[in-house]
Amino acid sequence: MGRGTLRIYLGAAPGVGKTYAMLSEAHRRVERGTDCVVAFVEHHARPRTEVLLHGLEQIRRSEISYRGALFTEMDVDAVLERAPAVALVDELAHTNVPGSRNAKRWQDVEELLKAGIDVISTVNIQHLESLGDVVESITGVRQRETVPDEVVRRADQIELVDMSPQALRRRMAHGNIYQPDKMDAALSNYFRPGNLTALRELALLWTADRVDEYLQQYRGEHDIRSTWQARERIVVGLTGGPEGRTLIRRASRMAAKGSGSEILAVYIARSDGLTAASPKELAVQRTLVEDLGGTFHHVIGDDIPAALLEFARGVNATQIVLGSSRRKTWQYIYGPGVGVTVARESGPDLDVHIVTHEEVAKGRGLPLARGARLGRARIIWGWLVGVVGPVLLAVVLRSMEDAPGLANDVLLFLFLTVAAALLGGLRPALASVAVGSLLLNYWFTPPTHTLTVQDPENLVAIVIFFAVAVAVSSVVDLAARRTHQAARLRAESEILSFLAGSVLRGETALDALLERVRETFAMESVALLERSSDVEPWTCAGSVGPAPVTRPDAADVDMPVGDNLALALSGRVLPAEDRRVLGAFAAQAAVVLDRQRLVWEAEQARRLAEGNRIRTALLAAVSHDLRTPLAAIKAAVSSLRSDDVAWSDEDEAELLEGIEDGADRLDHLVGNLLDMSRLQTGTVTPLIREIDLDEVVPMALGGVPEGSVDLDIPETLPMVAVDPGLLERVVANIVENAVKYHPGRDPVTVAASALGGRVELRVADRGRGVPDEAKDRIFEPFQRYGDAPRGAGVGLGLAVSRGFAEAMGGTLDAEDTPGGGLTMVLTLAAAPGGGRSGSELPAQVTS
C-alpha cells in the first residue's frame, strides 16, 4: 500500500474559513462517492461550520483524563481500523493531551498517511515554527502550538484560504468567529487591521515560495529551459569591475518596484582569460548584493554569454542587467562583446537591460591572450585557412601577369601558415606547411609543373620556408597552450580566493559550501559522505540538490578526503584539471564539518561550565548564606538550654523570635535553591487554571511588614490563566525584593491593569533603581546588584521569579520607575473564558 496524500488549507488568521472549506470539500467528495470521514474537527461553536458536519461520518474520539479533567482527542486506532479513503483532521499544529498516542497532532497525521489514508487538514500561518518570532513581534502573542515547516512543505497540495482584513473583521463583528463577549477585545487586539494585513502578507509570501518550489521541480522534471515569467528574478552580470556596484543598485531599484522580486548577482570565471576580475572588488560587490537582500553566485564558463544565459534560464530569471562595455573602440576587433551577444541570443523570454556607468569606453587594459581551448568554429576556420588558403593564393598568384617573385611568394605562404596556427592551432598550421611547400615547388619553382627543383637556391628557400613555418606554428601553438594554462590557473585562483574569503569571513554553513560546489561545477547534486570505519556503511553528513547519492561509487565524481570522508557529485563527469579545485572544496568541506562539530561540542562544554558555575555558586551559598541563620539558631538554642543563666520571659521570647526568624530565612533560602534546581533541570510543570489576581496577590504579601505595600487591583480585571502556587511565589519574591531595596519613605506600589489579551502586574519602588545595562543581569542566578549585604540572600529570588513566570507563559521585565526607582512588570495571559470584564482575547489564538 502506498503512502497517502496530504492536502492542507493554509490560513492567515483564525476565522478565514479553513475548516469551512475543508468540510465543503468533504461534501463534494462524498457526493462523488469517495469514502470520506471526519477524524477530528472543531467547529468552535460557529453555526455555519457546525451545520456542515451534518451528513458526514464522524469517527468516535478517545477520552483522556488529565489532572482531574476529561479531554477528547482524535482516536488514531479507530481511524486506522475504519481505514477510509480520506480523513479530515482539523488543527494540524494542535498539541495532544499528555497520555495521548503522540505528542502532536501532525504526528497522528503521519501515521494515517503511512497507512495509505489521504488526509485533509488545516493550519494557520502563525503556527509555522519558523515564523513564531515574526508573528510574536507583529501581534504580541507567542504561539505555543507550532508545526515544523517541513511537515507543511511536504504536503502534496497546499491551498491558501485568503480574506481581506476588512472582510474578516466584518465576519467577526457579525458574530461568526467568536462569542459576543470576546468580540470587542479581539477586534481591538489580535484582529487589528495592521496585524491582519501583516499576517496575510506572511501567508501569501510563504505560499508563493512553496509554489515556486513546485514550479522549479516541474521545470526540472520536464527539462524546460525557457523562462516562465511567473515571478520577477533579476540576474546581474558582474565582471569584477568598478561598475558592478552601480549595476547592483540599479537592479535593486528595479526589484523594489515589484513585491517578491529577487536579485541574483553572478560572476563567471572564464577559462580563456578574457576577464580581469579584482578579488577585492568582487568581495565588496558580494557584500553589497547580500546587504540588499540578493544572492551572489560564482560559476565557471568557457563562453561567458552562453554561461550567463544558461544560468539565467536555469533560475527562471525574467531580466538580465548588464553594464555598457568598458572597451575602447579599437578593442571591438576582438568581438561584439558580452552585452551585445546576450541581448541578441536572449530570445523573447528574457529582457536585457544595458546600464550606463562612469567606466563606459574607458578601456579594460590590454586584452589578455586568447586561450587554446578553441571552439569548433575556430578550428574549422584554421583548417580552411591552412588548406584552402594556400590553394586560393596559388591561383591568384598564377593569374597575375607580373609575379612578385619566389621570395615574396614564400612570405605570403608563410603568412597563411601563421594565420592557420593562430586560428586552429598546430595541426592546421602543419597542414598549411605541407600544402604550401608542395604548391611552391609545383607552381613557382623552375621547372614548374614538376616536383623537382633545378636551382639549389630555390631548394634552400623551400626548405627554409618549411623549417620556419614549422617553428613559427609550434611557437604560436605553445604560446596558446601556455596562455590557456595561465588563464585556467587564474580562474582556479579566483575560485580558491573566494573559498579562502569564506573561511576568513567565518562562513561555517556546510549546506552553503556544498551549494557553492554545485554551482561552480554545474552539478545536479552534491553530498558529503562519511563513515566511522572501512566496514561501516556510508552516511550523509550534508547534501544539496535533488536525489543526492548515498555511496561514492554511485556518483559521477567522487573526491575522497582521508579514509572515511568523501565528496560525491552527480550530474556530469569532470575533466581531470577540475579535480584540483574540487579537492580544495572537499578539504574545506571537511574543515567546515569538523568546525560545526567543534561548535556543538563547545556549546555542550559551555553548558557544562555554566552548570559548574551554578554548582560552585550553590556551594558558596550553602557555605555562607545558609550557615549564617543556622549559626543564629544554634546560638539562641544553646542560650536557652544553658543552666548558668536564668532567662526572663522577655529574653526567652526574644530568643525564640530569633530562632523563628532564622528558620524562616532558612526556609526561604532553601526554597529558592530548590526552585532554581527545578528550573535548571526543566522539571517545573505548572498546573494552569483560571483565577483572579485579588485571590493570589494578598496572600503573597504575608512576608512583608504591614503598611509597606500599597495594593491596587481593580475588580474589573479579567481572570488570568496561571498556576496559583507559582504566581504566589513570583509575587512574593518581587515584592520582598522591592521592600528590601525601598528607602522607606513611601510604600511599594503593587498595581494591576489589563492590556489587550494580557494582564500586567507592576511592582514599583522608589529606591536607587538599576542602570539599563544591568537590568537583564539582575535576573541571572546568584546575582545581587549594588551593595546588598552578604546575608541578604543568595541572589536567586528574581531568577526564580522570571523562570516561574515564563513557565506559566508570562514574562517578567524590569523598567525604570518615573521619578526614580525600579518597576518590575509581570505580564500574564488572560484566561480564555470567564473573565469578569468579558473583554479579553485569549493569548493562545486558534481557529
Side-chain angles (χ1 to χ4, degrees), residues 281-295:
E281 182 63 28
L282 281 177
V284 172
Q285 293 174 14
R286 177 194 183 101
T287 303
L288 176 61
V289 72
E290 290 176 349
D291 290 343
L292 294 175
T295 57

Side-chain angles (χ1 to χ4, degrees), residues 570-778:
S570 299
R572 65 186 180 95
V573 178
L574 286 180
E577 59 265 25
D578 286 343
R579 294 184 64 86
R580 178 170 48 190
V581 178
L582 182 60
F585 275 106
Q588 178 62 14
V591 171
V592 169
L593 181 62
D594 290 341
R595 185 180 300 167
Q596 286 183 347
R597 289 174 176 168
L598 288 174
V599 169
W600 181 84
E601 292 174 1
E603 177 63 20
Q604 298 301 314
R606 187 195 63 78
R607 293 180 180 179
L608 290 174
E610 179 67 15
N612 290 333
R613 186 187 70 81
I614 293 178
R615 280 192 290 273
T616 302
L618 178 61
L619 290 175
V622 172
S623 64
H624 184 280
D625 296 282
L626 295 184
R627 292 178 62 185
T628 301
L630 277 176
I633 293 174
K634 180 176 176 55
V637 172
S638 299
S639 299
L640 287 174
R641 297 187 61 186
S642 175
D643 296 333
D644 300 337
V645 181
W647 301 101
S648 64
D649 294 341
E650 291 80 4
D651 292 336
E652 289 183 357
E654 184 176 351
L655 290 173
L656 290 173
E657 184 179 358
I659 294 174
E660 185 177 12
D661 290 342
D664 289 341
R665 288 181 57 195
L666 273 178
D667 180 69
H668 180 75
L669 292 173
V670 171
N672 278 339
L673 289 172
L674 292 177
D675 290 339
M676 196 67 231
S677 175
R678 291 167 60 201
L679 288 171
Q680 290 290 333
T681 57
T683 58
V684 177
T685 305
L687 304 178
I688 304 297
R689 67 182 182 89
E690 299 178 5
I691 194 170
D692 292 321
L693 276 182
D694 54 11
E695 296 181 25
V696 179
V697 175
M699 298 174 60
L701 304 182
V704 298
E706 187 176 353
S708 61
V709 175
D710 184 8
L711 190 61
D712 180 18
I713 300 181
E715 296 182 358
T716 57
L717 279 180
M719 302 176 74
V720 291
V722 295
D723 183 316
L726 294 184
L727 179 59
E728 184 178 345
R729 294 291 302 278
V730 172
V731 176
N733 279 341
I734 298 173
V735 174
E736 290 175 8
N737 191 74
V739 172
K740 183 189 306 181
Y741 293 98
H742 196 67
R745 297 192 304 269
D746 300 315
V748 171
T749 302
V750 179
S753 60
L755 178 63
R758 302 174 296 277
V759 175
E760 287 187 352
L761 183 70
R762 308 177 75 88
V763 180
D765 63 54
R766 293 291 181 180
R768 294 184 296 111
V770 176
D772 291 339
E773 62 272 13
K775 282 187 171 63
D776 285 332
R777 193 166 64 247
I778 61 177

Side-chain angles (χ1 to χ4, degrees), residues 260-517:
S261 299
E262 296 181 28
I263 303 175
L264 301 93
V266 57
Y267 169 70
I268 300 174
R270 185 173 179 176
S271 61
D272 64 4
L274 290 182
T275 55
S278 165
K280 180 178 179 181
E281 182 63 28
L282 281 177
V284 172
Q285 293 174 14
R286 177 194 183 101
T287 303
L288 176 61
V289 72
E290 290 176 349
D291 290 343
L292 294 175
T295 57
F296 185 90
H297 305 267
H298 188 157
V299 300
I300 293 178
D302 295 326
D303 186 341
I304 290 183
L308 181 60
L309 290 170
E310 179 72 14
F311 176 84
R313 294 190 175 104
V315 299
N316 199 27
T318 57
Q319 301 180 61
I320 297 178
V321 176
L322 300 173
S324 296
S325 179
R326 289 185 285 129
R327 292 180 175 185
K328 292 183 179 295
T329 303
W330 64 269
Q331 290 177 318
Y332 279 95
I333 63 176
Y334 296 103
V338 174
V340 175
T341 306
V342 170
R344 183 181 67 243
E345 299 179 1
S346 62
D349 53 353
L350 269 173
D351 295 335
V352 179
H353 302 266
I354 306 297
V355 179
T356 58
H357 49 84
E358 296 180 353
E359 304 297 323
V360 173
K362 290 186 177 180
R364 302 173 55 178
L366 291 176
L368 300 179
R370 297 178 183 269
R373 181 173 289 183
L374 306 175
R376 181 185 300 272
R378 284 189 58 180
I379 294 176
I380 293 174
W381 275 106
W383 282 100
L384 289 175
V385 173
V387 177
V388 179
V391 175
L392 295 178
L393 178 60
V395 172
V396 171
L397 292 175
R398 290 292 295 177
S399 64
M400 296 175 61
E401 294 182 359
D402 297 328
L406 182 60
N408 291 326
D409 294 340
V410 169
L411 291 177
L412 291 173
F413 278 97
L414 181 61
F415 171 76
L416 290 178
T417 301
V418 173
L422 290 173
L423 287 172
L426 181 60
R427 292 182 181 179
L430 294 178
S432 178
V433 170
V435 174
S437 300
L438 290 174
L439 291 175
L440 282 172
N441 188 0
Y442 189 82
W443 289 104
F444 304 101
T445 304
T448 58
H449 305 292
T450 65
L451 294 179
T452 59
V453 180
Q454 183 177 5
D455 189 349
E457 293 181 359
N458 294 337
L459 178 62
V460 172
I462 293 175
V463 171
I464 292 175
F465 162 74
F466 187 88
V468 171
V470 171
V472 170
S473 301
S474 301
V475 170
V476 171
D477 182 71
L478 179 62
R481 284 190 285 112
R482 291 290 184 265
T483 301
H484 165 68
Q485 293 173 359
R488 179 161 190 88
L489 289 174
R490 190 184 63 188
E492 292 179 0
S493 66
E494 289 173 351
I495 295 174
L496 293 176
S497 69
F498 272 97
L499 187 60
S502 67
V503 176
L504 296 176
R505 288 191 297 270
E507 297 178 1
T508 58
L510 181 60
D511 289 346
L513 178 63
L514 297 180
E515 180 63 29
R516 182 171 297 173
V517 174

Side-chain angles (χ1 to χ4, degrees), residues 745-827:
R745 297 192 304 269
D746 300 315
V748 171
T749 302
V750 179
S753 60
L755 178 63
R758 302 174 296 277
V759 175
E760 287 187 352
L761 183 70
R762 308 177 75 88
V763 180
D765 63 54
R766 293 291 181 180
R768 294 184 296 111
V770 176
D772 291 339
E773 62 272 13
K775 282 187 171 63
D776 285 332
R777 193 166 64 247
I778 61 177
F779 292 102
E780 297 178 3
F782 305 103
Q783 296 292 324
R784 291 180 296 184
Y785 177 71
D787 55 353
R790 184 65 183 166
V794 294
L796 286 176
L798 292 180
V800 169
S801 298
R802 172 173 275 188
F804 283 168
E806 292 176 349
M808 294 185 292
T811 59
L812 178 61
D813 299 293
E815 298 179 357
D816 292 329
T817 302
L822 187 68
T823 298
M824 291 291 176
V825 183
L826 175 62
T827 304

